Amino acid sequence: MYLKYLLMFVMFSYHIISVFIVENTKIYFFNLQTLSSHTGCFIPILFSYVLYYMVLLLMEANTNSRLLLAE
């Protein structure tokens, strides 16, 4: 299962790390013409990704699915 979702795991990890860095440092965004600030979005995004992976684990572990039985 981990190999199947490896690219998604890497991209989500990159996203979480980048949000953490932007939240905790002062970075100037040239495309937005503004400085970064603490918005409090790190914990909700981390929670949403953990919840998403928990749902994936539960769905992968489900062997009583009708889709699997129809084959």
Side-chain angles (χ1 to χ4, degrees):
M1 186 222 151
Y2 296 112
L3 189 58
K4 188 190 302 185
Y5 299 111
L6 183 63
L7 178 65
M8 192 172 16
F9 182 75
V10 169
M11 293 308 293
F12 287 170
S13 299
Y14 172 73
H15 188 212
I16 289 172
I17 291 168
S18 64
V19 168
F20 179 78
I21 290 171
V22 168
E23 286 272 323
N24 294 311
T25 59
K26 289 289 183 188
I27 298 174
Y28 183 74
F29 298 109
F30 292 103
N31 58 343
L32 300 175
Q33 301 293 318
T34 186
L35 280 172
S36 65
S37 62
H38 181 72
T39 59
C41 66
F42 177 71
I43 298 299
I45 201 166
L46 182 66
F47 179 72
S48 66
Y49 283 147
V50 168
L51 184 65
Y52 181 75
Y53 275 114
M54 288 175 62
V55 168
L56 276 179
L57 283 172
L58 288 173
M59 291 179 74
E60 287 284 332
N62 184 11
T63 58
N64 296 328
S65 175
R66 288 185 179 207
L67 294 174
L68 292 175
L69 295 175
E71 292 178 351

